[in-house]
C-alpha cells in the first residue's frame, strides 16, 4: 500500500477511481503467465507471483503518465508499465513499485493511408488495428504473441517476430515517430514528431543520430527506460481480398477462405535441404508466411483441442517441415505465385501435403491472416515458453536448433517438460529472407514445481550452450544477472547499456528487472 | 598540446609514410564544395586497420586533439560535415582501409571497409549476380560505407524496409577509443567463430536491448569511427522493363507512385523534374538545356523486373496489374517527345557516375534536402518556386516503403561568379528556414543548416542527443562542431 499522502497525490493525477492500492487488486496484478520459472531462474521461490506492487494506476493520457512518472521520481518509487500485459515482463521486480496499467489509453490515433502508417496508444490490440486498416486494403505487422497483444508494446518494448514476417518484417524495424515519457518525466518525441512546427509521425530518425537505437534493440527495454504512450508503425499491403467472414462457434469457426490464398506444407529431407528450400522460396519474394516448424508444431497449428492434436500424429513423422502460405490481391498475381511454387517444388523435390494428404480447417487461413497460430502452443500443457530466439542467417538458426535437440531430450527424459521429440522449433524468415530467427517453444506444467524447475534449468543450459558455442544471443537476456554474464562475451555491451540507463534514469525509477540497472544490483 | 609528442605518437601508430603535414594536403582538407569554411587540420593520418583507429582515438582523448573521420579520397564533398571546425583537429582518412572483406551470395550481404568505393564494389557484385541498394547515380569515388551511414535514400523503396537500410552490422571505435561491434556481429565469439557457426552478420539490431548502429548512423562521425559494415544486397534481375511517365501535374505523378509502392509492384522508383532528369541523362550544359525543353516538368521513372526462368511471367503479371491501376486512377500520362533509351535510364540507376551528375549543368550546385509526407510535397515545391526565381532541380524519393519522402531541391550555379555564389548562399539559408518553418524535417542536418535545424526541434530531443554524445564521446574528440553538440 501507498502512504496516504502519496496515494492522494497519485489520485489527484488520475482520479480516485483510477488507482487502487488495496490487497485484492495489487495481489491480482502480481500474477502473470510464466512468472514461476522466471522466479526460479532468479533463485526465488517458483511461485506464479511477482513482488506485489504498492498500487495499480490507470492513467488516461500522456500528460497523466508524465505526472505519475514525475511523482515516482519525487518519492523514489519504481514504476512498471504494461499495455495488454502478456507475460512475466509486465511484472515489477520489487514491492517498492507501482504498476501503470495503460488500458485506458486505447485509441487508434490515426491511420495515415497515404503515408502507410498507423498511430496507436498502448492498449490497442493487433486485431483491433488490423480490422481498421483492412478497410483501406492495408495490413499491420503482428507479433507471434498474437492479435490480442498490444501493437505498441511489441513495436517499442518487446521482441517482434511474426508469422507474416516475410512480408511485414520485425516490429523494431517498423517503428516511425514515437512518443516516449522518459524515466525522468520529460516527453521525448522521436524524429519528425519532435518538430516544433507541424510535427508529424512519418519518421522516427534524427535529426542526426536516431534515438530509436537507445529506445530499444533486438528486444525492447520492457519498461526499463520509461513509458511509450503513442507510436507510429508501418502498414503493409493486405495480402489478399479483405472480406473476412466467420461463422459458427469456438473453437472451430467456419471461415470463408479468400479466393487467392494457398497453403503448402512440405517435408525437407534434412536441415541442409531445409535451408536451401527456405532460402530459395524467400528469394522469390512470394510468401506471406514461410515458417519452419517442428513436426509437433505442425500438429499443433492444425489442432484446436488436445484430442484433435493426437489425431494429427501422422505429421509427427515429418523430418524438417516448412509451412508456406502464398496470398495475392489479383488473379494474375496468384497465378504467378502458384507457378513459382510449382517450379520450386520440382526444383527442390518437395511434395505439398496440403490438398493431397491433408486439408486444413478453413479457420487455419483466418489464423494465418490474423497471425493467430501462436496460441496453438498452449494446447498441449497450457504452459509454454520459448528458449533460444537468435536471429541472423538460416544456417545459424538451424544449427542452434540441431544442437538444442539432445539437450531438450535430456529434460524430456527427466519428465519435466513435455515430449515434443526434442524438436520444438519455430523459425521464420524476415523481409523476404534477409534474415531469420529461431525459437524453441517448450511445453511444461506451470502447476508442477518440478516441471517449473526443469523448465528453468533447461532454459539456463540452453542459454549457456548458445554462449559457449557462439550460436547467437537468445531473446531473454535481460536483467542484471544475465547482462553481466553475457556482456563480457559481447564486446562488454552491458557497460554501454548501463551507461544509457544511468544517464536517462538517474533515479533508477523505471523498473529494470527486465532491463539493466544503472548501478549494478540496483534493481 | 605538445606537437612533437603528438606526432611521435601518431607515427608510432601508423608509420611516417601514413601521415602528412604537406601544406597542400592540409589546405585540401580545410575546404569542400559547401559554403562552410574549415580550419587547417594539424595533419592527415591514414590508418590501415581498426586497431590503429582505436589507438588514435585513445591518443586524442589523452592529448586533447580532435579527430575528423573521412572515408574516401573523393574530392566531391558537398556538406561540410568533414571540415575541421576547431583548431587541433586531425583528419583520420580511412581510404586505405579499402578491402571488400567478404561477399556472401547465399545471405545476400557484403562486408566492406570505409575506403571501398562505388566503382570498386558495383562491378564485383555484378559478377556474382548481386546488386547494391544504390543512392541515385552515386559518385564513383564515394565511400559506399559512408553513404549508408549518412542515411542517403536508395532508389528501390520497396527494399527500404527500415530507414537504416541497407546498413546492417558495424564495427565502431567509439569516441572513448573502445572498439565495439553492433547487431549480431557483437557476439558471442569473434567474427570468424560466428561465421563458423553459419552466422552472416545480417541482423543489425542489438546486441540485446539497444541498437547502437542507429545512433552512429546520421551522427556525421561525431560518436564513433566505423571501420567496417555489412550491407544488404539484392539479387540482380535478368529482365528489367523501364517506364517513364511525364506530366505537368506533380499530384498525378504522386498518385501513381503511391499505388505502385503500396502494392510493391516495382523496383526502382524515382520522381524527377525535367532539369534533374536531363542532368542524369546528359553530360554537358547544352545537351542538358536542350533535353530540359523537350521534357515535361514532372517525370516518374520506375522499373519492373524478373529473374530466372519465370522472369517473363513476372513481368507479365506486373504489367497487367499496373495497367489496371492506371486505368482505375483515370490518369493520362504522356510519353517523352524525345527518344530516351531504356539503357540510358538503367545506366544512371544501376551505375555510379565519375563526376557528380548534379554538377553537370553549371559546374556547381547546392542541395536542400529534407523528409516530408505524401501530402505536403506540393506545398514545399510551391514554397520553393515562390522564393527562388531561377530554375532548379527536384528529386523526390519515396523511402522506407512509402512512409515518407526525401525531397531535394538542387540549385545549380556557376562557381566562378562571386555574385551568384553570394546569392545562392543567402537563398539556401533563407529557403531552408522557410521550409523548416513550414514543417520540413531536415533529418540530416548538415553544416550550414545545423543550428537552424535544431532550433526547430524540441529541447527534449537536443537534450537526449547530448546525453548520447556524453556516453559515446564524453570528451568531444570526434568531429566537434557538427550537429547540436557544441552549443
Amino acid at each position: 500500500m501507498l502512504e496516504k499522502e502519496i496515494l492522494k497525490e497519485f489520485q489527484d493525477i488520475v482520479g480516485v477511481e483510477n488507482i487502487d492500492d488495496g490487497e485484492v487488486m495489487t495481489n491480482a496484478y502480481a500474477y502473470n503467465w510464466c512468472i514461476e520459472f522466471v522466479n526460479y531462474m532468479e533463485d526465488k521461490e517458483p511461485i506464479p507471483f511477482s513482488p506485489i506492487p504498492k498500487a495499480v494506476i490507470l492513467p488516461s493520457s500522456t500528460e497523466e503518465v508524465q505526472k505519475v512518472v514525475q511523482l515516482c521520481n519525487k518519492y523514489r518509487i519504481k514504476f512498471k508499465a504494461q499495455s495488454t500485459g502478456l507475460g512475466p515482463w509486465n511484472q515489477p521486480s520489487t514491492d517498492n513499485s507501482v504498476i501503470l496499467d495503460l488500458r485506458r489509453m486505447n485509441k487508434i490515433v490515426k491511420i495515415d493511408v497515404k503515408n502507410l502508417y498507423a498511430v496507436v496508444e498502448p492498449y490497442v490490440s493487433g486485431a483491433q488495428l488490423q480490422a481498421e486498416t483492412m478497410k483501406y486494403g492495408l495490413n499491420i505487422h503482428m507479433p507471434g504473441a498474437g492479435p490480442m497483444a498490444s501493437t505498441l508494446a511489441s513495436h517499442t518494448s518487446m521482441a517482434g517476430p511474426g508469422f507474416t514476417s516475410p512480408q511485414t518484417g520485425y516490429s523494431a524495424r517498423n517503428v516511425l515517430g514515437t512518443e516516449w515519457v522518459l524515466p525522468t518525466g520529460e516527453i521525448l518525441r522521436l524524429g519528425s514528431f519532435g518538430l516544433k512546427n507541424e510535427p508529424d509521425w512519418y519518421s522516427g530518425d534524427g535529426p542526426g543520430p536516431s534515438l530509436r537505437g537507445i529506445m530499444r534493440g533486438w528486444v525492447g527495454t520492457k519498461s526499463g527506460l520509461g513509458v511509450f504512450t503513442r507510436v507510429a508503425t508501418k502498414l503493409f499491403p493486405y495480402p489478399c481480398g479483405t472480406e473476412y467472414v466467420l461463422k459458427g462457434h469456438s473453437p472451430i469457426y467456419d471461415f470463408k477462405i479468400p479466393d487467392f490464398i494457398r497453403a503448402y506444407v512440405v517435408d525437407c529431407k534434412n536441415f541442409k535441404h531445409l535451408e536451401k528450400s527456405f532460402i530459395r522460396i524467400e528469394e522469390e519474394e512470394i510468401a506471406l508466411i514461410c515458417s519452419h516448424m517442428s513436426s509437433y508444431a505442425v500438429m499443433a497449428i492444425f489442432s484446436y483441442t488436445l484430442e484433435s492434436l493426437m489425431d494429427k500424429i501422422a505429421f509427427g513423422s515429418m523430418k524438417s517441415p516448412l509451412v508456406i502460405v502464398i496470398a495475392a490481391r489479383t488473379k494474375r498475381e496468384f497465378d504467378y505465385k502458384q507457378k513459382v511454387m510449382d517450379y520450386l517444388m520440382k526444383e527442390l523435390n518437395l511434395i505439398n501435403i496440403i490438398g493431397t494428404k491433408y486439408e486444413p480447417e478453413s479457420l487455419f487461413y483466418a489464423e494465418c491472416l490474423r497471425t493467430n497460430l501462436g496460441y496453438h502452443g498452449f494446447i498441449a500443457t497450457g504452459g509454454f515458453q520459448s528458449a533460444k530466439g537468435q536471429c541472423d542467417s538460416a544456417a545459424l538458426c538451424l544449427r542452434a536448433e540441431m544442437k538444442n535437440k539432445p539437450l531438450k531430450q535430456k529434460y524430456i527424459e527427466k519428465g519435466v517438460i513435455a515430449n515434443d521429440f526434442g524438436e520444438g522449433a519455430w523459425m521464420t524468415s524476415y523481409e523476404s529472407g534477409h534474415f531469420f530467427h529461431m525459437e524453441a517453444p517448450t511445453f511444461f506444467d506451470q502447476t508442477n514445481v518440478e516441471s517449473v524447475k526443469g523448465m528453468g534449468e533447461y532454459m539456463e543450459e540452453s542459454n549457456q550452450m548458445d554462449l559457449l558455442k557462439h550460436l547467437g544471443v537468445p531473446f531473454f537476456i535481460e536483467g542484471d544477472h544475465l547482462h553481466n554474464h553475457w556482456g563480457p562475451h559481447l564486446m562488454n555491451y552491458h557497460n554501454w547499456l548501463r551507461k544509457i540507463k544511468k544517464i536517462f534514469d538517474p533515479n533508477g525509477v523505471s523498473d529494470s528487472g527486465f532491463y539493466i540497472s544503472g548501478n549494478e544490483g540496483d534493481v | 598540446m605538445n606537437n612533437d609528442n603528438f606526432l611521435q605518437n601518431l607515427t608510432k601508430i601508423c608509420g611516417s609514410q601514413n601521415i602528412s603535414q604537406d601544406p597542400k594536403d592540409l589546405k585540401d582538407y580545410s575546404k569542400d564544395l559547401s559554403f562552410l569554411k574549415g580550419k587547417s587540420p594539424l595533419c592527415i593520418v591514414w590508418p590501415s586497420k581498426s586497431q590503429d583507429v582505436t589507438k588514435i582515438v585513445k591518443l586524442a582523448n589523452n592529448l586533447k586533439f580532435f579527430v575528423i573521420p573521412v572515408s574516401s579520397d573523393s574530392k566531391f564533398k558537398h556538406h561540410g560535415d568533414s571540415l575541421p571546425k576547431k583548431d587541433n583537429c586531425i583528419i583520420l582518412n580511412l581510404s586505405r582501409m579499402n578491402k571488400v572483406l567478404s561477399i556472401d551470395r547465399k545471405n545476400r550481404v557484403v562486408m566492406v571497409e570505409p575506403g571501398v568505393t562505388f566503382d570498386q564494389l558495383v562491378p564485383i557484385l555484378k559478377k556474382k549476380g548481386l546488386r547494391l541498394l544504390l543512392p541515385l547515380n552515386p559518385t564513383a569515388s564515394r565511400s559506399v560505407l559512408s553513404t549508408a551511414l549518412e542515411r542517403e535514400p536508395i532508389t528501390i523503396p520497396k527494399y527500404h524496409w527500415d530507414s537504416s537500410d541497407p546498413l546492417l552490422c558495424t564495427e565502431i571505435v567509439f569516441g572513448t577509443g573502445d572498439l565495439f561491434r553492433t547487431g549480431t556481429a557483437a557476439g558471442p565469439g569473434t567474427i570468424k567463430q560466428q561465421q563458423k557457426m553459419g552466422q552472416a552478420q545480417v541482423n543489425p539490431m542489438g546486441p540485446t536491448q539497444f541498437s547502437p548502429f542507429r545512433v552512429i548512423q546520421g551522427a556525421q562521425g561525431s560518436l564513433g569511427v566505423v571501420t567496417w559494415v555489412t550491407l544488404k544486397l539484392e539479387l540482380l534481375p535478368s529482365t528489367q522493363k523501364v517506364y517513364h511517365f511525364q506530366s505537368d501535374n506533380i499530384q498525378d505523378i504522386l498518385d501513381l507512385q503511391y499505388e505502385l509502392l503500396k502494392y510493391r509492384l516495382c523496383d526502382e522508383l524515382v520522381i524527377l523534374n525535367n532539369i534533374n532528369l536531363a542532368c542524369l541523362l546528359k553530360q554537358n550544359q547544352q545537351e542538358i538545356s536542350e533535353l530540359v525543353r523537350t521534357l515535361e516538368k514532372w517525370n516518374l521513372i520506375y522499373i519492373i523486373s524478373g529473374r530466372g526462368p519465370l522472369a517473363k511471367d513476372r513481368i507479365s503479371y506486373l504489367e497487367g496489374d499496373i495497367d489496371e491501376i492506371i486505368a482505375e486512377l483515370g490518369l493520362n500520362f504522356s510519353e517523352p517527345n524525345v527518344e530516351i533509351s531504356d539503357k540510358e535510364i538503367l545506366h544512371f540507376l544501376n551505375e555510379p557516375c565519375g563526376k557528380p551528375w548534379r554538377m553537370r549543368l553549371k559546374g556547381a550546385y547546392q542541395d536542400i534536402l529534407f523528409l516530408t509526407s505524401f501530402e505536403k510535397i506540393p506545398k514545399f515545391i510551391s514554397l520553393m518556386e515562390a522564393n527562388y526565381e531561377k530554375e532548379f532541380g527536384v528529386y523526390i524519393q519515396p523511402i522506407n516503403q512509402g512512409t515518407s519522402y526525401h525531397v531535394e531541391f538542387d540549385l545549380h550555379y556557376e562557381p566562378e561568379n562571386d555574385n551568384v555564389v553570394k546569392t545562392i548562399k543567402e537563398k539556401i539559408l533563407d529557403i531552408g528556414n522557410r521550409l523548416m518553418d513550414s514543417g520540413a524535417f531536415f533529418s540530416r542536418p548538415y553544416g550550414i543548416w545545423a543550428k537552424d535545424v535544431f532550433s526547430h526541434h524540441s529541447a527534449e530531443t537536443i537534450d537526449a542527443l547530448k546525453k548520447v554524445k556524453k556516453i559515446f564521446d564524453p570528451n568531444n574528440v570526434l568531429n566537434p562542431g557538427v550537429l547540436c553538440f557544441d552549443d
Side-chain angles (χ1 to χ4, degrees):
Chain A
M1 286 177 80
L2 289 165
E3 287 170 37
K4 262 190 180 170
E5 299 72 30
I6 299 176
L7 176 65
K8 171 80 175 50
E9 285 190 61
F10 279 120
Q11 285 173 336
D12 288 346
I13 298 168
V14 296
V16 178
E17 67 281 15
N18 291 311
I19 179 166
D20 195 324
D21 69 344
E23 264 187 26
V24 173
M25 197 58 80
T26 53
N27 274 277
Y29 271 80
Y31 171 80
N32 212 320
W33 164 64
C34 276
I35 193 75
E36 62 290 317
F37 89 85
V38 172
N39 278 335
Y40 178 74
M41 287 177 79
E42 288 176 357
D43 293 331
K44 294 175 192 165
E45 198 186 341
I47 55 170
F49 294 96
S50 69
I52 298 164
K54 280 179 182 296
V56 179
I57 304 172
L58 280 69
S60 67
S61 66
T62 303
E63 289 66 33
E64 285 187 7
V65 170
Q66 178 182 38
K67 286 178 186 164
V68 168
V69 167
Q70 285 167 341
L71 209 53
C72 286
N73 273 276
K74 181 177 168 188
Y75 293 110
R76 300 291 194 271
I77 298 169
K78 291 181 194 291
F79 60 85
K80 184 82 190 180
Q82 56 174 250
S83 301
T84 39
L86 177 71
W89 313 282
N90 294 281
Q91 298 310 116
S93 63
T94 163
D95 53 13
N96 179 33
S97 66
V98 292
I99 283 182
L100 268 65
D101 183 340
L102 303 169
R103 68 178 58 228
R104 292 173 70 211
M105 299 177 70
N106 59 0
K107 287 181 229 31
I108 297 171
V109 178
K110 181 180 184 184
I111 295 174
D112 191 326
V113 177
K114 285 294 181 189
N115 294 293
L116 301 170
Y117 68 79
V119 183
V120 289
E121 291 187 336
Y123 201 68
V124 173
S125 69
Q128 195 183 342
L129 180 61
Q130 191 192 42
E132 296 303 320
T133 60
M134 280 167 74
K135 293 173 185 169
Y136 305 100
L138 294 169
N139 199 14
I140 65 167
H141 171 72
M142 263 195 265
M148 72 297 179
S150 156
T151 297
L152 177 139
S154 142
H155 283 75
T156 60
S157 305
M158 270 297 294
F163 287 93
T164 60
S165 283
Q167 279 189 9
T168 62
Y170 185 83
S171 295
R173 285 173 60 81
N174 293 333
V175 172
L176 305 173
T178 304
E179 185 177 72
W180 177 6
V181 179
L182 294 173
T184 43
E186 285 104 345
I187 301 172
L188 178 62
R189 296 177 173 95
L190 297 187
S192 54
F193 194 50
L195 284 169
K196 282 181 185 168
N197 300 329
E198 302 193 26
D200 207 345
W201 298 90
Y202 52 81
S203 170
D205 310 287
S210 176
L211 292 165
R212 283 170 64 198
I214 301 297
M215 169 184 143
R216 64 165 299 153
W218 158 239
V219 288
T221 63
K222 296 159 185 167
S223 185
L225 202 62
V227 185
F228 299 97
T229 47
R230 288 186 286 175
V231 69
T233 68
K234 278 169 62 181
L235 297 176
F236 302 86
Y238 197 77
C240 55
T242 53
E243 193 188 28
Y244 196 93
V245 183
L246 275 178
K247 285 182 183 162
H249 305 282
S250 176
I252 310 180
Y253 292 96
D254 188 19
F255 177 61
K256 187 181 171 198
I257 301 171
D259 288 340
F260 306 132
I261 190 165
R262 186 171 169 191
Y264 298 75
V265 175
V266 297
D267 192 16
C268 301
K269 286 186 219 113
N270 49 44
F271 277 177
K272 208 80 199 146
H273 186 211
L274 173 62
E275 184 198 5
K276 188 180 172 189
S277 305
F278 222 147
I279 289 173
R280 274 296 289 122
I281 292 165
E282 280 301 81
E283 279 175 2
E284 296 297 331
E285 303 174 11
I286 53 168
L288 168 67
I289 292 175
C290 193
S291 285
H292 158 55
M293 298 175 191
S294 61
S295 55
Y296 183 87
V298 176
M299 288 165 62
I301 59 166
F302 293 124
S303 303
Y304 300 89
T305 61
L306 191 55
E307 294 72 32
S308 69
L309 180 71
M310 294 302 115
D311 293 344
K312 311 286 182 315
I313 200 74
F315 284 119
S317 63
M318 294 173 85
K319 287 190 183 76
S320 303
L322 195 52
V323 176
I324 306 122
V325 176
I326 59 167
R329 197 175 57 85
T330 64
K331 185 169 183 311
R332 261 182 234 102
E333 181 188 356
F334 192 51
D335 289 345
Y336 167 73
K337 285 183 173 176
Q338 288 192 106
K339 203 166 179 180
V340 174
M341 277 307 292
D342 290 346
Y343 178 83
L344 289 172
M345 299 289 272
K346 274 186 204 145
E347 178 190 309
L348 298 164
N349 201 14
L350 296 168
I351 295 165
N352 188 12
I353 289 163
I354 304 296
T356 54
K357 294 181 181 166
Y358 180 71
E359 202 59 62
E361 299 287 346
S362 61
L363 185 58
F364 168 75
Y365 295 95
E367 291 183 335
C368 289
L369 292 166
R370 277 251 137 154
T371 313
N372 204 21
L373 297 172
Y375 98 94
H376 293 263
F378 289 90
I379 285 176
T381 64
F384 104 91
Q385 188 48 266
S386 282
K388 306 289 174 193
Q390 40 270 96
C391 170
D392 197 79
S393 64
L396 177 88
C397 292
L398 290 170
R399 195 180 295 266
E401 180 184 339
M402 199 163 59
K403 290 198 179 293
N404 195 51
K405 218 168 148 179
L407 174 69
K408 205 171 187 187
Q409 272 161 344
K410 186 172 97 180
Y411 284 88
I412 291 168
E413 278 162 28
K414 282 185 186 177
V416 289
I417 56 176
N419 186 358
D420 64 356
F421 323 123
E423 292 172 345
W426 171 49
M427 177 175 155
T428 181
S429 136
Y430 295 89
E431 303 179 5
S432 298
H434 271 287
F435 57 101
F436 296 79
H437 124 273
M438 190 283 288
E439 59 186 81
T442 303
F443 310 97
F444 68 107
D445 184 351
Q446 289 176 269
T447 62
N448 179 313
V449 175
E450 289 312 308
S451 182
V452 169
K453 286 181 179 175
M455 179 69 191
E457 282 163 17
Y458 157 69
M459 286 281 269
E460 268 172 4
E461 212 174 323
S462 172
N463 286 350
Q464 192 63 8
M465 179 171 72
D466 294 341
L467 179 66
L468 297 178
K469 293 190 184 295
H470 314 127
L471 289 167
V473 186
F475 270 143
F476 302 121
I477 301 303
E478 53 205 7
D480 274 352
H481 172 69
L482 284 171
H483 281 312
N484 290 341
H485 184 60
W486 280 73
H489 300 270
L490 283 94
M491 313 295 293
N492 288 316
Y493 79 85
H494 60 310
N495 294 336
W496 298 104
L497 198 62
R498 189 157 271 136
K499 282 181 191 185
I500 290 170
K501 172 70 176 175
K502 203 168 182 173
I503 204 162
F504 281 92
D505 186 10
N507 295 326
V509 291
S510 197
D511 192 322
S512 42
F514 290 92
Y515 184 47
I516 196 166
S517 63
N519 297 305
E520 198 178 325
D522 183 26
V523 178
Chain B
M1 190 177 67
N2 179 332
N3 222 12
D4 290 342
N5 189 15
F6 147 83
L7 271 176
Q8 270 173 15
N9 276 294
L10 281 180
T11 309
K12 218 185 268 175
I13 296 167
C14 292
S16 56
Q17 72 282 10
N18 291 315
I19 298 173
S20 170
Q21 283 191 306
D22 182 332
K24 188 189 165 295
D25 285 346
L26 300 183
K27 198 177 168 194
D28 282 350
Y29 284 92
S30 67
K31 57 184 174 42
D32 68 1
L33 299 169
S34 73
F35 288 135
L36 286 179
K37 281 196 180 127
K39 300 201 171 215
S40 179
L42 297 171
C43 65
I44 297 110
V45 185
W46 286 268
S48 59
K49 52 188 184 296
S50 306
Q51 289 76 5
D52 294 352
V53 177
T54 304
K55 286 176 190 165
I56 293 167
V57 176
K58 282 189 174 161
L59 190 67
N61 277 277
N62 288 337
L63 299 184
K64 312 267 183 264
F65 62 88
F66 303 112
V67 175
I68 300 176
V70 174
S71 293
S72 75
D73 274 331
S74 174
K75 45 186 183 179
F76 303 115
K77 294 191 170 79
H78 283 84
H79 293 133
D81 47 325
S82 55
L83 291 176
K85 293 164 194 72
K86 293 201 171 180
D87 294 326
N88 287 334
C89 286
I90 69 159
I91 301 291
L92 187 68
N93 187 323
L94 302 158
S95 62
R96 291 182 191 168
M97 293 174 68
N98 59 359
K99 287 191 271 307
V100 178
L101 297 169
S102 63
I103 299 173
D104 181 344
R105 158 65 183 81
K106 185 171 76 175
N107 294 297
R108 289 179 271 168
V109 64
V110 63
M111 185 185 272
V112 293
E113 290 187 327
V116 172
T117 55
F118 284 101
D119 57 347
Q120 182 185 350
L121 189 57
V122 169
I124 300 175
L125 293 175
K126 205 182 272 182
K127 276 187 197 155
K128 293 185 180 283
L130 293 162
R131 59 173 167 171
L132 265 177
L133 293 165
L134 292 173
L136 182 59
N137 202 209
T139 309
S141 56
R142 286 205 59 198
S143 157
V144 176
L145 176 149
S146 70
T147 309
L149 274 182
E150 287 300 301
R151 287 201 301 262
E152 283 203 21
I154 57 170
T155 54
I156 310 186
K158 79 164 188 180
Y159 290 144
H160 203 211
W161 287 85
D162 190 327
S163 49
S164 56
D165 277 342
L167 184 65
L168 299 174
C169 297
T170 68
E171 182 182 77
I172 308 166
V173 177
F174 287 132
T176 52
D178 292 295
L179 188 74
F180 196 77
R181 295 193 302 267
T182 63
T184 44
T190 62
I191 296 295
K192 260 194 181 166
Q193 286 168 327
Q194 291 169 23
Q195 287 174 344
K196 204 174 160 196
M197 288 295 115
Q199 189 171 300
Q201 296 80 43
V202 285
N203 173 8
M205 295 172 278
T208 71
Q209 294 176 297
F210 71 143
S211 282
F213 88 103
R214 289 194 193 278
V215 291
I216 295 300
Q217 207 176 21
Q220 298 177 16
S222 65
L223 298 174
V225 182
V226 178
T227 48
W228 57 251
V229 298
T230 53
L231 298 167
K232 225 176 178 184
L233 302 172
E234 293 295 343
L235 300 179
L236 209 57
S238 55
T239 310
Q240 288 176 296
K241 194 159 180 190
V242 178
Y243 289 84
H244 176 189
F245 287 139
Q246 296 192 117
S247 174
D248 56 4
N249 182 355
I250 184 66
Q251 196 57 54
D252 287 352
I253 296 279
L254 289 171
D255 287 344
L256 176 56
Q257 69 80 35
Y258 165 76
E259 297 289 332
L260 296 174
L261 190 46
K262 177 182 173 185
Y263 297 115
R264 314 292 194 251
L265 295 171
C266 62
D267 288 4
E268 288 87 348
L269 189 163
V270 296
I271 299 168
L272 297 153
N273 76 343
N274 49 352
I275 294 172
N276 267 356
L277 179 55
C279 287
L280 282 157
L281 289 167
K282 301 294 175 189
Q283 294 299 320
N284 62 55
Q285 189 168 10
Q286 193 190 336
E287 289 174 350
I288 291 168
S289 301
E290 276 170 24
L291 183 57
V292 166
R293 282 194 290 277
T294 59
L295 290 169
E296 281 199 42
K297 187 169 178 186
W298 297 108
N299 296 266
L300 170 66
I301 290 169
Y302 66 87
I303 313 286
I304 58 174
S305 73
R307 192 169 33 78
L310 297 175
K312 278 188 185 161
D313 296 82
R314 185 163 196 271
I315 297 278
S316 158
Y317 119 68
L318 290 169
E319 278 179 324
D321 277 12
I322 291 171
D323 285 348
E324 219 165 78
I325 285 171
I326 292 173
E328 272 171 33
L329 288 173
L331 297 173
N332 287 312
F333 296 104
S334 60
E335 305 234 334
N337 291 328
V338 56
E339 196 185 329
I340 299 170
S341 71
D342 290 358
K343 203 176 157 193
E344 284 176 283
I345 290 178
L346 287 171
H347 183 77
F348 77 68
L349 288 171
N350 294 336
E351 305 289 338
C353 61
K355 191 177 169 185
W357 58 269
R358 294 168 180 93
M359 291 173 82
R360 288 176 189 158
L361 182 59
K362 293 188 176 172
Y365 77 95
Q366 296 293 326
D367 52 3
I368 300 175
L369 48 104
F370 57 90
L371 300 185
T372 190
S373 55
F374 175 89
E375 66 280 2
K376 286 181 186 161
I377 296 169
K379 174 179 92 169
F380 290 127
I381 292 170
S382 300
L383 189 150
M384 184 70 194
E385 285 170 341
N387 289 281
Y388 190 71
E389 47 289 340
K390 291 187 180 165
E391 287 187 325
F392 58 91
V394 184
Y395 165 39
I396 298 166
Q397 181 65 63
I399 62 167
N400 206 356
Q401 298 190 319
T403 52
S404 57
Y405 292 78
H406 162 92
V407 177
E408 176 183 320
F409 300 132
D410 295 310
L411 282 56
H412 309 273
Y413 64 97
E414 295 91 2
E416 305 81 21
N417 186 330
D418 289 346
N419 283 338
V420 171
V421 172
K422 191 171 168 261
T423 312
I424 292 280
K425 189 177 176 182
E426 286 165 6
K427 279 287 176 193
I428 60 167
L429 269 175
D430 173 55
I431 295 169
N433 268 288
R434 285 172 193 269
L435 290 163
M436 289 177 220
D437 290 343
S438 303
F441 176 39
F442 283 57
S443 71
R444 296 158 56 199
Y446 292 116
I448 197 158
W449 301 305
K451 268 198 174 158
D452 295 325
V453 170
F454 287 101
S455 73
H456 283 79
H457 271 265
S458 70
E460 289 80 6
T461 303
I462 295 162
D463 186 50
L465 287 170
K466 284 182 174 173
K467 283 177 178 161
V468 171
K469 174 76 170 174
K470 206 170 173 184
I471 292 167
F472 295 109
D473 183 23
N475 296 325
N476 193 23
V477 299
L478 293 178
N479 207 3
V482 296
L483 304 173
C484 58
F485 297 140
D486 272 10
D487 299 336

